[in-house]
């Protein structure tokens, strides 16, 4: 993997760059649609590539490990072959899911034992076997196995946790460096800064993470319920320490406004279920603000969802029709709204990039954040 | 509406023709994908037109009347405008749904009172207001309001019911003929033959229906649980009586084998939820037979779903991937399987038509029915 920093905004810490992977280039800042179980929900792969213009998607170690399982993924030749997506993939390590999705889990120094949410079967994730699993999944970028602390989190728990995350990172790196990719292309490992909302813990964690000198770095444990200001404060502290010449990935973030604010602080990569999950509930992110398509005011609005968009779904279907589909729980509603939101997120990243390259990102961002957070028609 | 009979198979009663409507031509025999609530579930309108090559889709009076409701449909300028489908639409009259979906319903000479499955609200459908409703929906072909009897059905009940259906038909025709289309294009009304599985009732009903001399005729009340042989026997009796120079529509049928057998008896039009509903449960109809994609034998079958198909979904995604999606209840699974099955149904109709035009339909059909009903891998 290679990262080229192309420009930095004079009025902020926003950066534009290019990440090169074995499956192609990623122009940053970038949003990565989440494909939890090997599919970005309600979206075809050709729609991701051609309509949404996704450059990289996420896969989820926990979900893929449970289903279809490693045996099938290995036989398929990795996730790219399995789900017919030949552009870059990033897999998260499963840490977040293990903590949030499984009822019964026990965290020890060795790793985490948990029960599957599907059939209750018992499993153990360790830093080592999570590296092996991600070798089998075959993502271009794989994530270290960490502990994602909840919000709020007791300071002493957060300190002990981040220390264990650092010890686990050492074990992740050792295992990763001692193993080879399985499918003939390179993979790279990103470590994850933790430390809850405590500046001193975040600072120390960023220093430790930077010292591992991997090809990219991530910030985890944010967007878990803390106020946006706390998130930004943590991003700022961490970005001051993480090396400039490597991509910075803020995990699980966020709203369009969150993205722009974090880009201004030096973040290059994002992922979040919000554009797809909220789409399925009828929340649309647009250039003029947020629409709840279930609201009655859209009932007889027969104008296109977003008239000046280059997306089929935005041009053809009306707000009234989409409202009807979402209210009727029709699958096509989830399809249209997911396409729309993902297209909007990728459009927003493209615009941000243009403005960084043009050197006027900060002014543009200030105007945009005023609009993007507004609720239209409420 | 205009129907041109182009060819009749020398070895059977199969026919090829063209129906002309205000929204374009329909080449028969044809299968009409079911778009219950104004959407063919899990399929985009451009996929219907370009990938599946649907020539006409169905809408459902009962569902559309309840949601989005007539006020919205009227403001939209009819269903074509509302759901962005500019090819022909046929609406069923809601009779079937009123009998099968609503818990509380009372059938009287005047019409049927029932409670909405959505909110329990009380409604009355009469032959007259169902015509008015279908004027508002604006389908090219609208259906008479009939009583669809269950299977099995007591002879005396069936006889009384079919007589009422005929009286209702008179009221439907009177209302239809006394009203004008709302959106500047012609609509046509198809009456429906009933009579359960009783030949004498079916014969009499076909004679009554034919005497109304409408532009097309339908057969209802079949595919409700009776053995296929009874269905074919009824189709045969009825097709002998219904005029040759008008299209014949067999409602709610059926499997690929059912379609071919009924084409051989003189049917021109079909609709059925089977290709889409069964798709969502993982049943795929293919040229070589029926696949239950949930079966373990497909777990590591990484070959395309149907390699020699011209459908993106058939060429790109593997059986193993589709199995994973369906088992994981992922929306993309429903999308892929629905596209596949509908594409297959339309392909089958196109092939049938070619063979009718070539004069070798019967021989081809005999070979196909041997294959299409087979369960592959069970």
């Amino acid at each position: 993997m290679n990262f080229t920093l192309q420009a930095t905004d004079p009025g902020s810490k926003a950066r534009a760059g290019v990440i090169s992977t074995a499956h192609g280039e990623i122009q940053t800042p970038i949003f990565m649609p989440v494909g939890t179980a090997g599919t970005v929900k309600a979206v075809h792969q050709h729609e991701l590539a051609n309509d949404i213009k996704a450059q990289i998607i996420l896969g989820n170690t926990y979900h893929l490990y449970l289903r279809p399982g490693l045996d099938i993924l290995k036989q398929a030749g990795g996730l790219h072959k399995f789900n017919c997506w030949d552009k870059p993939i990033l897999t998260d390590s499963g840490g977040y899911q293990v903590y949030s999705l499984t009822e019964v889990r026990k965290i020890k120094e060795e790793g985490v034992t948990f029960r599957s949410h599907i059939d209750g079967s018992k499993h153990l994730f360790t830093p080592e076997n999570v590296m092996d699993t991600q070798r089998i999944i075959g993502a271009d970028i794989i994530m270290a196995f960490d502990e994602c602390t909840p919000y709020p989190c007791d300071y002493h728990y957060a300190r002990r946790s981040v220390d264990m995350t650092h010890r686990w990172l050492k074990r992740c790196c050792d295992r990763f460096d001692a193993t080879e990719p399985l499918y003939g292309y390179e993979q790279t490992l990103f470590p994850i800064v933790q430390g809850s909302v405590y500046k001193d813990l975040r600072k120390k964690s960023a220093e430790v993470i930077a010292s591992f000198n991997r090809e990219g770095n991530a910030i985890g444990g944010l967007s878990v319920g803390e106020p946006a200001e706390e998130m930004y404060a943590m991003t700022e502290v961490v970005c001051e320490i993480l090396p400039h010449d490597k991509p910075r990935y803020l995990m699980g973030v966020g709203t369009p406004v969150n993205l722009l604010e974090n880009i201004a602080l030096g973040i290059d990569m994002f992922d979040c279920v919000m554009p797809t999950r909220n789409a399925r509930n009828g929340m649309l992110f647009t250039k003029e603000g947020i629409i709840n398509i279930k609201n009655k005011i859209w009932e007889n609005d027969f104008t296109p969802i977003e008239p000046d968009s280059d997306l089929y779904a935005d041009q053809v279907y009306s707000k009234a029709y989409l409202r009807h589909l979402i209210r009727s729980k029709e699958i096509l509603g989830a399809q249209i709204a997911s396409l729309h939101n993902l297209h909007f997120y990728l459009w927003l990243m493209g615009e941000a990039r243009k403005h960084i390259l043009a050197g006027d990102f900060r002014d543009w961002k200030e105007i945009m954040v005023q609009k993007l957070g507004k609720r239209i028609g409420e």
Side-chain angles (χ1 to χ4, degrees), chain A:
Chain A
M1 204 203 77
N2 179 44
F3 179 62
T4 308
L5 191 59
Q6 297 174 300
T8 305
D9 181 52
S12 72
K13 290 173 191 154
R15 305 128 50 89
V18 179
I19 302 171
S20 300
T21 77
H23 286 93
E25 292 193 341
I26 304 154
Q27 300 195 306
T28 63
I30 192 70
F31 178 81
M32 305 182 281
V34 177
T36 307
T39 159
V40 176
K41 291 189 195 303
V43 179
H44 276 286
Q45 274 66 325
H46 72 88
E47 293 173 325
L48 279 172
N50 303 331
D51 301 329
I52 293 165
K53 299 186 172 48
Q55 299 178 45
I56 173 170
I57 64 172
L58 240 73
N60 189 291
T61 297
Y62 167 83
H63 286 277
L64 293 167
Y65 162 84
L66 291 178
R67 205 164 47 189
L70 300 185
D71 185 39
I72 298 302
L73 286 166
K74 201 168 188 174
Q75 287 182 58
L79 181 58
H80 291 87
K81 291 268 172 62
F82 185 65
N83 74 355
C84 318
W85 173 256
D86 61 5
K87 293 178 194 287
I89 296 177
L90 180 149
T91 38
D92 65 11
S93 64
Y96 181 78
Q97 281 70 33
V98 165
Y99 304 119
S100 66
L101 282 185
T102 63
E103 297 275 303
V104 186
R105 59 162 170 83
K106 208 174 273 181
I107 306 170
K108 292 191 256 183
E109 186 68 26
E110 183 197 7
V112 182
T113 51
F114 62 93
R115 288 192 182 277
S116 156
H117 74 288
I118 300 168
D119 63 5
S121 57
K122 210 172 164 184
H123 303 268
L124 168 69
F125 271 11
T126 67
E128 290 80 12
N129 74 19
V130 165
M131 293 302 100
D132 298 345
T133 295
Q134 291 183 92
R135 285 290 196 199
I136 292 169
I137 297 172
D140 300 275
I141 302 173
I142 77 176
M143 301 306 298
F145 191 60
D146 62 337
E147 181 179 0
C148 178
T149 50
Y151 179 85
C153 182
D154 173 75
Y155 179 82
H156 298 285
Y157 186 92
R159 191 176 59 184
R160 279 196 309 276
S161 170
V162 73
D163 285 342
M164 188 178 68
T165 284
H166 297 157
R167 290 192 298 276
W168 282 5
L169 174 58
K170 175 73 169 65
R171 289 165 57 191
C172 285
C173 291
D174 287 349
R175 183 60 153 248
F176 181 83
D177 294 337
T179 54
E180 293 289 325
L182 299 179
Y183 311 117
Y185 53 83
E186 276 192 2
Q187 298 178 281
T188 192
L189 168 64
F190 281 19
I192 303 171
V193 173
Q194 288 288 350
S196 188
V197 290
Y198 303 107
K199 280 196 182 177
D200 62 324
L201 298 184
R202 285 282 174 185
K203 209 176 149 194
K204 186 188 155 200
S205 183
E207 285 162 357
V208 171
I209 264 56
S211 74
F212 275 83
N213 200 25
R214 307 303 303 191
E215 294 177 303
N217 298 293
I219 309 174
L222 293 174
S223 205
V224 291
E226 78 285 357
E229 291 64 33
E230 294 213 61
M231 180 206 302
Y232 303 146
M234 295 303 115
T235 303
E236 191 167 17
V237 164
V238 170
C239 284
E240 275 168 22
I241 297 164
L242 292 181
H244 278 250
D245 59 348
K246 292 173 182 176
R248 298 166 183 155
Y249 162 31
L250 181 57
M251 304 179 77
V253 174
T255 65
V257 169
N258 291 159
L259 265 58
L260 295 190
E261 295 294 4
N262 282 298
I263 288 171
L265 297 169
I267 298 293
D268 308 297
M269 304 164 71
F270 301 91
D271 79 285
C272 193
V273 295
M274 190 178 279
T276 38
R277 180 178 294 164
N278 291 19
R280 298 196 296 279
N281 292 321
M283 183 187 277
L284 304 182
F285 299 100
T286 81
K287 289 165 201 170
E288 306 302 326
I290 297 165
I291 286 176
N292 179 352
I293 202 71
K294 288 194 272 192
N295 281 351
K296 201 173 165 59
I297 63 154
W298 309 116
E299 185 179 49
N300 60 353
D301 186 327
F302 301 109
T303 62
I305 296 167
E306 190 134 21
D308 61 345
S309 157
D310 63 359
L311 183 73
Y312 166 86
D314 282 345
Q315 297 161 357
V316 169
Y317 303 116
S318 70
K319 297 187 191 76
Y321 182 55
L322 180 56
R323 177 179 189 270
H324 163 67
L325 296 176
I326 295 280
R327 284 183 77 231
S328 306
K329 298 188 177 22
E330 285 288 347
I331 294 174
L332 185 60
Q335 294 175 248
I336 294 170
S338 300
L339 279 172
H340 168 82
N341 279 353
L342 288 175
H343 178 269
F344 175 73
Y345 266 60
L346 269 295
W347 172 85
L348 188 65
M349 293 300 95
E351 290 297 300
R353 184 177 153 82
K354 275 188 215 164
H355 286 283
I356 296 166
L357 292 172
D360 63 355
F361 173 80
R362 192 182 60 182
D363 292 347
W364 172 80
K365 185 213 76 166
E366 290 303 324
I367 296 163
M368 290 303 283
V369 297
Q370 295 305 318
K371 293 200 284 182
L372 298 181
K374 263 197 323 195
R375 300 244 165 194
I376 306 177
E378 283 183 25

